[in-house]
Amino acid sequence: MKSTSDERVRIEMCSQHANYSSGVMRYAINYCGRIFKSFMIPGGVLELGPAEGVMTDFLFHHFPNDYTIVDGADFFVSSLQKRYPSMKCYRSLFEEFQPERTYENIILGHVLEHVEKPVQILKLCNRWLTEQGRILAAVPNSESVHRQVAVQMGLLESTKQLNATDLKNGHRRVYDKSTLEHDFLQAGLDIIKSGGYWMKPLSNAQIDKSWTKDMVESFLMIGEKYPEIAAEIYVIAEKTSHKNIIENKG
């Protein structure tokens, strides 16, 4: 197990290479934000690991009076504090963060694939939720069409293998739907909705070269129909004590 100082150095190094704010990734993150917004409840928002703040830019305008972010990278925290002076911004490892309150909504957008112990983080989030609160998390999907094609072409040995982009972004694992749901259940949470978005047949670089905005939007939407092979998957969860089943949309 790495020391906390090693982890801080690792996070700062990854922040220098992060590229979530350009090209097709911006469209995908905004689309995820729209999905999350449809499940969020009135009240406070705690966003863990906002990075450049693409989802923050979308969600903050819907929850401008009670929004908190926590990130381990000083660059990201400083940037968001300058953009949104009224936002509560903390530079901290998630494991060391000690909130003074609980939250109605906790956002984990592309976080669980980065952390050393995802179940531990989810257990902390469970404690930080109000009784009616919700955790909203999204991660890349190992069974995405483009990863399966990479295996077929011999570029990856398996869909779970970390590719060059994973390593550059500091990913420690690639989830599929079952492993993502398993971590939530291990953390003592009730899954009220899971799904996917973004049918992605090519790499980000290939898509950025030739796809129009309308093409990207259409493939993002089609991915909701086929979550098992979509590029991104998500889970909406609540405390086990709060039973509330939401019907699958579509």
Side-chain angles (χ1 to χ4, degrees), residues 35-36 38-40 134-138 177 180-181 184-185 189-197 223-227 233-238 244-250:
I35 292 173
F36 282 179
S38 70
F39 291 104
M40 293 171 74
R134 292 176 176 175
I135 298 174
L136 308 97
K177 187 172 181 290
L180 179 61
E181 292 179 352
F184 274 82
L185 297 176
L189 291 155
D190 276 344
I191 297 171
I192 61 170
K193 169 68 177 175
S194 63
Y197 59 95
E224 290 202 63
K225 295 183 178 181
Y226 307 99
I233 48 178
Y234 66 88
V235 161
I236 316 296
E238 295 176 335
N244 181 23
I245 305 302
I246 293 179
E247 293 183 3
N248 290 352
K249 296 189 297 182

Side-chain angles (χ1 to χ4, degrees), residues 139-175:
V139 297
N141 181 14
S142 67
E143 299 310 302
S144 171
V145 169
H146 81 289
R147 294 185 73 94
Q148 294 194 49
V149 169
V151 172
Q152 185 67 32
M153 294 176 63
L155 301 176
L156 292 176
E157 293 182 5
S158 75
T159 56
K160 291 291 195 299
Q161 181 184 346
L162 297 175
N163 61 28
T165 300
D166 291 319
L167 296 172
K168 178 181 177 182
N169 289 335
H171 295 176
R172 284 185 160 109
R173 65 192 60 79
V174 191
Y175 281 99

Side-chain angles (χ1 to χ4, degrees), residues 66-86:
D66 196 350
Y67 206 106
T68 301
I69 66 100
V70 178
D71 202 289
D74 182 66
F75 174 75
F76 293 147
V77 175
S78 299
S79 176
L80 283 167
Q81 188 71 85
K82 289 177 183 177
R83 293 212 307 265
Y84 302 108
S86 65

Side-chain angles (χ1 to χ4, degrees):
M1 179 178 177
K2 292 185 178 181
S3 69
T4 56
S5 59
D6 288 340
E7 189 67 7
R8 289 191 186 95
V9 170
R10 180 180 184 274
I11 290 170
E12 289 293 349
M13 290 181 63
C14 289
S15 73
Q16 302 305 312
H17 302 289
N19 189 28
Y20 294 114
S21 61
S22 63
V24 71
M25 280 305 302
R26 175 172 286 273
Y27 290 119
I29 294 170
N30 278 325
Y31 194 86
C32 181
R34 283 151 53 187
I35 292 173
F36 282 179
K37 173 60 174 58
S38 70
F39 291 104
M40 293 171 74
I41 62 176
V45 177
L46 171 63
E47 184 180 1
L48 301 181
E52 295 103 322
V54 176
M55 188 174 296
T56 316
D57 291 337
F58 174 78
L59 291 177
F60 179 76
H61 296 291
H62 296 282
F63 298 85
N65 299 318
D66 196 350
Y67 206 106
T68 301
I69 66 100
V70 178
D71 202 289
D74 182 66
F75 174 75
F76 293 147
V77 175
S78 299
S79 176
L80 283 167
Q81 188 71 85
K82 289 177 183 177
R83 293 212 307 265
Y84 302 108
S86 65
M87 183 184 294
K88 295 178 182 178
C89 301
Y90 298 92
R91 185 200 174 203
S92 174
L93 298 180
F94 306 142
E95 297 88 345
E96 297 178 347
F97 180 57
Q98 297 182 353
E100 298 177 353
R101 52 166 292 189
T102 53
Y103 296 87
E104 283 74 19
N105 305 280
I106 298 181
I107 307 296
L108 297 162
H110 281 223
V111 165
L112 295 175
E113 69 271 27
H114 289 268
V115 298
E116 188 172 7
K117 296 183 178 180
V119 174
Q120 177 186 344
I121 300 302
L122 289 171
K123 287 180 178 179
L124 288 173
C125 289
N126 195 356
R127 287 165 43 192
W128 300 339
L129 279 180
T130 63
E131 285 304 311
Q132 307 296 316
R134 292 176 176 175
I135 298 174
L136 308 97
V139 297
N141 181 14
S142 67
E143 299 310 302
S144 171
V145 169
H146 81 289
R147 294 185 73 94
Q148 294 194 49
V149 169
V151 172
Q152 185 67 32
M153 294 176 63
L155 301 176
L156 292 176
E157 293 182 5
S158 75
T159 56
K160 291 291 195 299
Q161 181 184 346
L162 297 175
N163 61 28
T165 300
D166 291 319
L167 296 172
K168 178 181 177 182
N169 289 335
H171 295 176
R172 284 185 160 109
R173 65 192 60 79
V174 191
Y175 281 99
D176 60 25
K177 187 172 181 290
S178 64
T179 56
L180 179 61
E181 292 179 352
H182 175 267
D183 278 3
F184 274 82
L185 297 176
Q186 287 291 106
L189 291 155
D190 276 344
I191 297 171
I192 61 170
K193 169 68 177 175
S194 63
Y197 59 95
W198 195 10
M199 186 61 63
K200 179 183 173 184
L202 303 171
S203 70
N204 290 354
Q206 291 169 317
I207 291 171
D208 285 335
K209 283 183 180 180
S210 58
W211 284 30
T212 65
K213 180 179 178 180
D214 287 343
M215 289 173 66
V216 173
E217 183 73 14
S218 296
F219 275 83
L220 285 164
M221 294 174 66
I222 289 295
E224 290 202 63
K225 295 183 178 181
Y226 307 99
E228 298 288 347
I229 57 172
E232 308 283 335
I233 48 178
Y234 66 88
V235 161
I236 316 296
E238 295 176 335
K239 286 179 175 291
T240 301
S241 60
H242 180 57
K243 300 294 184 180
N244 181 23
I245 305 302
I246 293 179
E247 293 183 3
N248 290 352
K249 296 189 297 182

